[in-house]
Amino acid sequence: LYFRAAELYGRHGRSEADLRLAASLAHTARQILPDNRDIRRLQLSTAIEVTPAAGRVAVLAGCSIDDVNDLLVDAVGHERWMVAVVACAQLAAAGTSDLLRESAPQLSPLALATRSADRRIRIAAIEAIGRLAAQTPYPGSSDVLVALDYFVRSKGARRAIVADVREQHARNVAGLLATQGIEAEIATDDRTLFELATTMPDCELILIQMTLVEPAASSNLARLRQDARTAMIPIGILASSDKVDRAEAIARRHPRTLAFVDAPIEAAAARAVAATASLGNGEQLTAADRLQQAQFAFDWLLAADDAVVSVDQWRSLEDAIASAVYVPSLSGKAVALLSRTGTATSQRLLIEIANNAVQPLAVRQAAVAALGESLVDFGTLLTTTEIAAQYDRYNSSQQTSREEQQLFAAILDQIELRAASDAPTSTAGSVPR
């Protein structure tokens, strides 16, 4: 019963009927051998997948924490995202923050799940860890921040990477992708390709010319497939007609990879986009899904305790946070987090946002408040030239709206308040306004 159920459950391209039969067989097997761990794990996995969404967590209601941890490890290893997500939710509901430390110095199953190639599993593990509300660092806490750094960079856009040593040719391909509603970044070497791919959560497609595949014996492809952030991104190898057979042979050695004849026409780009999208097998999220994950990541960070996230770690996130300040649905959250990084760059950016008339008034006001928090916590990190420029901006704002003048004045109030606390008995050096 067990081996037949396992064969059906693991079958490539299994049908709904296969799944339901596997669940039935596994259920019967568990009735016969209820204490067998392998049978119990298979029965729980199949039961979760055949149960409607609203009832999936209830499948694990009577399970021990050890059983759920075991199920999570197995689900992550076999990329069973639905089972992993349910296991994470159950651990968050039934466990405590001790779950994150009891395997020390090894990582807990939840911390390991933040390294999964499937971003749905990563986000579920991060959510569970947040709900457990650890008050001190734990093994793998830095991995959580690495995952969050990746998620907060999403803009909810459709993007791609075109890698080719010939920059102009790459730009031509990028132009063809634009006709399909996809904005492409250019990489002309191995290093740039990997850096872009691992910091671009909105990437839906990577197109690599054979010139960047063959010389390295396809090591570029292997590297992309080994990193959790890029493992599931569909890849297309572009080759001339006389090399397409070689490209197809390379593509067969790597999952979610196809070969295409490099043709400078819109129809070729459309075929590449459609064909590689099918490689996701439903694992590729929409732009809206990715934006929702970014919003969740920001909310998680906003709720994070400074005892868990150190100042140095906040600063490591600064670039990712700053990349979202001009994304309408993320700007308010990004501005609030910039108060925690405590750098001259973040204080300068907060002033820039507060001065920017294009930004919504609420975001500009939030930037002033965040600047005040940063000044209180870290002191004034701005140069005297930058401060003087803000006074000049205020003094020349008579022709602007009252709201503008109030914002400019509020920035100076925050700066002067910090200056007063640093030198409470001295007024020397103040600039009149």
Side-chain angles (χ1 to χ4, degrees), residues 316-374:
S316 73
L317 292 167
E318 184 176 73
D319 181 58
I321 294 168
S323 70
V325 295
Y326 292 110
V327 180
S329 61
L330 302 175
S331 56
K333 301 176 191 292
V335 162
L337 285 178
L338 285 174
S339 68
R340 303 192 187 184
T341 63
T343 66
T345 299
S346 62
Q347 291 187 1
R348 196 177 300 121
L349 182 55
L350 287 169
I351 288 180
E352 176 186 311
I353 296 165
N355 286 328
N356 191 336
V358 177
Q359 285 279 23
L361 178 61
V363 173
R364 299 174 69 186
Q365 292 171 333
V368 174
L371 175 65
E373 293 174 16
S374 180

Side-chain angles (χ1 to χ4, degrees), residues 46-95:
T46 54
I48 287 170
E49 295 212 29
V50 298
T51 300
R56 285 173 188 152
V57 174
V59 173
L60 303 181
C63 295
S64 68
I65 292 295
D66 285 344
D67 278 347
V68 181
N69 271 329
D70 179 61
L71 184 66
L72 176 58
V73 171
D74 180 72
V76 171
H78 290 90
E79 297 183 359
R80 293 171 183 150
W81 72 268
M82 189 183 300
V83 177
V85 167
V86 172
C88 288
Q90 178 63 15
L91 289 173

Side-chain angles (χ1 to χ4, degrees), residues 21-242:
L21 180 54
S24 176
L25 294 172
H27 176 75
T28 303
R30 185 173 179 182
Q31 289 180 317
I32 297 170
L33 290 177
D35 297 326
N36 183 286
R37 172 166 286 199
D38 292 334
I39 292 176
R40 186 164 62 245
R41 186 193 305 127
L42 180 62
Q43 184 271 320
L44 292 172
S45 296
T46 54
I48 287 170
E49 295 212 29
V50 298
T51 300
R56 285 173 188 152
V57 174
V59 173
L60 303 181
C63 295
S64 68
I65 292 295
D66 285 344
D67 278 347
V68 181
N69 271 329
D70 179 61
L71 184 66
L72 176 58
V73 171
D74 180 72
V76 171
H78 290 90
E79 297 183 359
R80 293 171 183 150
W81 72 268
M82 189 183 300
V83 177
V85 167
V86 172
C88 288
Q90 178 63 15
L91 289 173
T96 68
S97 60
D98 291 341
L99 282 176
L100 303 173
R101 300 184 186 86
E102 55 190 24
S103 302
Q106 283 75 38
L107 301 186
S108 66
L110 276 173
L112 283 170
T114 66
R115 298 180 174 183
S116 170
D118 193 312
R119 56 194 293 162
R120 293 166 296 191
I121 297 176
R122 271 181 282 162
I123 209 81
I126 292 169
E127 181 178 8
I129 289 170
R131 289 173 60 188
L132 293 174
Q135 299 300 306
T136 56
Y138 48 86
S141 54
S142 59
D143 288 324
V144 175
L145 294 177
V146 169
L148 288 165
D149 180 286
Y150 179 80
F151 284 116
V152 299
R153 293 177 185 273
S154 178
K155 310 298 184 295
R158 299 193 66 195
R159 305 185 70 194
I161 299 171
V162 179
D164 194 331
V165 293
R166 303 163 298 173
E167 183 175 349
Q168 187 53 53
H169 188 274
R171 294 194 181 283
N172 292 340
V173 175
L176 294 174
L177 289 177
T179 66
Q180 307 304 308
I182 298 177
E183 174 192 350
E185 295 284 343
I186 304 301
T188 56
D189 56 64
D190 303 352
R191 181 183 59 82
T192 305
L193 167 61
F194 189 72
E195 287 181 357
L196 279 174
T198 53
T199 57
M200 210 165 134
D202 288 321
C203 184
E204 297 184 3
L205 166 66
I206 299 174
L207 293 179
I208 308 179
Q209 264 288 340
M210 276 289 281
T211 49
L212 281 173
V213 173
E214 271 194 313
S218 66
S219 63
N220 284 331
L221 298 180
R223 191 181 184 194
L224 290 170
R225 284 294 166 254
Q226 289 164 3
D227 192 285
R229 294 164 293 184
T230 56
M232 289 191 172
I233 301 176
I235 295 175
I237 302 174
L238 298 180
S240 57
S241 56
D242 60 326

Side-chain angles (χ1 to χ4, degrees), residues 354-393:
N355 286 328
N356 191 336
V358 177
Q359 285 279 23
L361 178 61
V363 173
R364 299 174 69 186
Q365 292 171 333
V368 174
L371 175 65
E373 293 174 16
S374 180
L375 293 171
V376 168
D377 292 338
F378 303 102
T380 304
L381 304 173
L382 304 164
T383 65
T384 54
T385 300
E386 289 167 340
I387 295 172
Q390 189 61 37
Y391 276 99
D392 291 340
R393 185 175 287 106

